[in-house]
């Protein structure tokens, strides 16, 4: 396929991964999130092809070229196809299901988001494909629908019951801002997040411990939250505002899960308010760390590598640190003085070495732009 983009309508689209500043496991509880887009993401090169044909290639899996027909896509079971291909194929199916005809297409995918690091490589992939298909076949589809298409592709065709955090971040984030999103109303606001001005850096530690959204723990947390909401007589845990209410939950596990969601929503609102008011971001540090403790103790989705990175970063002087994404592995963020960034990274590396964990990959991030056509 290299060089085979012979049709005239060839273009290139990019969608980023994300880190979430705060607001974890709140999205499927109809709550609040506050992500920022990474400069890392997926590039999708796309061309219109003869009707009914789909060809896919990923530079991360060059031996896995996929050539199928639209009719094949309708057939049940894609078990013969590589897992990465389920994302673009799911997006194509979802376009078609919604009445947006994808006549025939060839896609080449290339990602700079580390896989399994909790940095939304999946949303970067599905959103990059979705905006390419939109521009080629259905230009009037609004961003909100693209978010739903990308999310449904993952939920239905990959089988991971995620919320809308990752796809919303990839589609809606803007450079220099965090995205405050109310998942219930889908209203959002861009809030300036200028770390340079305060001589700060946001470090990401990719701990290299793979997270396994697909292996059932994530779905179990969703089910526990739904069960807690049902027992409390509300549609979603978002609707519980007072911690006093959760005393009515008989099961201590459900009580802890609910407490995480309620306190996490409050933390998002608090951080958003501080940043909106132009506060020195150092002020949000303790709120980020409290978010980690809540994910570790109440939601029980942390992992030894994540706890080690958070603890070592805080000892090294970080203002706040927390795991990001679904958990059970993946990445940690830490808010540090720029002058302390190298020392903090070294402290985390040393702590990992002492525990014989793989060396984490460390990089600093500033809020980047959301999904867009680049060529
Ligand atoms: C994963 C999911 C998101 C969200 C986070 C936890 O990244 O894809 O929808 O639930 O976990 O905040």
């Amino acid at each position: 396929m290299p060089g085979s983009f012979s049709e005239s309508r060839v273009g290139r689209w990019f969608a980023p991964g994300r880190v979430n500043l705060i607001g974890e496991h709140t999205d499927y509880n109809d709550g609040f999130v506050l992500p920022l887009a990474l400069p890392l993401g997926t590039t999708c090169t796309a061309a219109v092809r003869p009707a009914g044909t789909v060809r896919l290639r990923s530079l991360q899996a060059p031996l896995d070229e996929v050539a199928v027909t639209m009719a094949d896509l309708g057939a049940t079971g894609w078990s013969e196809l590589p897992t990465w291909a389920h994302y673009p194929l799911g997006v194509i199916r979802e376009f078609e299901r919604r009445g947006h005809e994808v006549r025939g297409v060839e896609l080449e995918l290339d990602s700079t988001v580390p896989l399994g690091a909790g940095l939304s490589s999946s949303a970067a992939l599905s959103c990059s494909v979705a905006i390419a298909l939109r521009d080629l076949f259905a230009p009037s589809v609004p961003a909100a629908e693209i978010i739903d298409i990308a999310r449904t592709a993952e939920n239905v065709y990959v089988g991971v019951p995620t919320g809308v955090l990752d796809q919303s971040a990839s589609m809606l984030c803007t450079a220099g801002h965090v995205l405050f999103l109310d998942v219930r109303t889908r209203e959002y606001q861009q809030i300036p997040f200028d770390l340079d001005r305060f001589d700060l850096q946001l470090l990401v530690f990719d701990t290299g411990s793979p997270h396994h959204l697909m292996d059932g723990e994530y779905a179990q947390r969703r089910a526990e939250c739904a069960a807690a909401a049902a027992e409390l007589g509300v549609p979603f845990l978002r609707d519980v505002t007072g911690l006093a209410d959760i005393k009515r939950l008989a099961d201590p596990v459900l009580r802890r899960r609910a407490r995480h969601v309620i306190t996490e929503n409050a933390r998002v609102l608090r951080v958003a308010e501080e940043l909106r008011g132009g506060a020195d971001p150092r002020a949000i540090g303790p709120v980020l760390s409290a978010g980690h403790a809540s994910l570790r103790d109440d939601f029980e989705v942390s992992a030894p590598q994540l706890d080690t990175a958070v603890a070592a970063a805080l000892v090294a002087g970080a203002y706040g640190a927390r795991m990001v994404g679904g958990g059970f592995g993946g990445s940690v963020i830490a808010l540090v003085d720029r002058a302390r960034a190298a020392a903090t990274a070294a402290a985390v590396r040393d702590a990992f070495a002492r525990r014989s964990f793989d060396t984490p990959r460390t990089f600093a991030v500033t809020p980047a732009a959301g999904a867009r056509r680049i060529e």
Side-chain angles (χ1 to χ4, degrees):
M1 198 160 99
S4 69
F5 283 104
S6 51
E7 302 282 326
S8 53
R9 290 165 70 194
V10 178
R12 200 163 257 148
W13 289 261
F14 175 86
R18 59 100 190 92
V19 289
N20 197 11
L21 190 58
I22 189 82
E24 228 62 89
H25 291 275
T26 48
D27 60 351
Y28 55 82
N29 288 297
D30 243 10
F32 307 103
V33 292
L34 198 66
L36 53 124
L38 298 176
L40 309 174
T42 299
T43 301
C44 173
T45 307
V48 176
R49 303 303 277 174
T53 60
V54 177
R55 296 182 69 187
L56 306 175
R57 204 167 88 106
S58 162
L59 297 189
Q60 279 63 54
L63 301 179
D64 277 354
E65 186 165 328
V66 170
V68 291
T69 65
M70 288 291 178
D72 293 336
L73 284 188
T76 50
W78 296 350
S79 51
E80 307 287 294
L81 301 173
T83 307
W84 64 263
H86 292 204
Y87 294 88
L89 295 177
V91 171
I92 293 171
R93 281 288 284 163
E94 196 49 26
F95 263 81
E96 296 257 316
R97 200 185 63 78
R98 290 164 180 257
H100 311 304
E101 194 199 347
V102 176
R103 289 188 298 284
V105 75
E106 178 172 359
L107 308 173
E108 184 179 84
L109 302 156
D110 188 11
S111 181
T112 51
V113 192
L115 301 180
L119 301 175
S120 275
S121 55
S122 310
L125 169 55
S126 35
C127 289
S128 71
V129 171
I131 57 169
L133 296 182
R134 175 197 62 196
D135 290 355
L136 292 175
F137 301 109
S140 61
V141 174
E145 192 178 350
I146 295 292
I147 291 167
D148 288 337
I149 288 172
R151 184 230 184 148
T152 309
E154 296 192 31
N155 290 178
V156 175
Y157 303 98
V158 183
V160 187
T162 63
V164 289
L165 162 64
D166 306 341
Q167 300 79 8
S168 303
S170 190
M171 285 299 298
L172 302 176
C173 281
T174 55
H177 298 86
V178 284
L179 174 82
F180 173 71
L181 172 69
D182 178 340
V183 174
R184 167 159 291 169
T185 62
R186 297 288 186 95
E187 281 169 354
Y188 61 90
Q189 186 191 13
Q190 310 286 353
I191 303 180
F193 190 51
D194 185 354
L195 295 171
D196 273 356
R197 200 177 125 219
F198 294 94
D199 284 323
L200 284 166
Q201 274 195 340
L202 190 65
L203 294 182
V204 176
F205 299 96
D206 169 6
T207 68
S209 58
H211 77 148
H212 297 290
L213 282 186
M214 274 186 262
D215 72 4
E217 291 275 3
Y218 183 90
Q220 189 189 333
R221 293 302 182 281
R222 277 199 78 142
E224 288 165 346
C225 290
E231 195 174 330
L232 293 170
V234 290
F236 288 96
L237 286 178
R238 148 75 176 271
D239 300 296
V240 185
T241 43
L243 277 177
D245 289 342
I246 62 174
K247 296 203 184 89
R248 290 193 280 124
L249 292 168
D251 178 354
V253 172
L254 293 195
R255 235 180 282 144
R256 288 204 300 277
R257 304 297 188 251
R259 185 166 58 194
H260 166 72
V261 175
I262 294 163
T263 57
E264 185 78 348
N265 274 327
R267 282 185 285 272
V268 179
L269 295 177
R270 163 98 191 273
V271 169
E273 195 180 302
E274 293 275 1
L275 296 179
R276 246 185 238 120
D280 181 332
R282 288 173 181 84
I284 69 170
V287 189
L288 304 188
S289 301
H292 183 76
S294 179
L295 287 161
R296 181 190 61 210
D297 302 335
D298 278 348
F299 221 63
E300 297 178 276
V301 292
S302 193
Q305 285 88 341
L306 302 174
D307 295 339
T308 300
V310 166
L314 291 174
V315 169
Y319 294 99
R322 57 178 291 270
M323 53 153 279
V324 291
F328 310 107
S331 297
V332 158
I333 53 170
L335 185 65
V336 300
D337 281 327
R338 198 202 329 248
R340 294 283 307 158
T344 309
V348 172
R349 268 197 308 276
D350 287 351
F352 271 48
R354 278 196 299 277
R355 299 198 59 180
S356 305
F357 294 152
D358 291 344
T359 309
R361 185 172 160 238
T362 309
F363 51 97
V365 287
T366 47
R372 62 204 180 274
R373 183 170 189 158
I374 52 175
E375 267 175 39

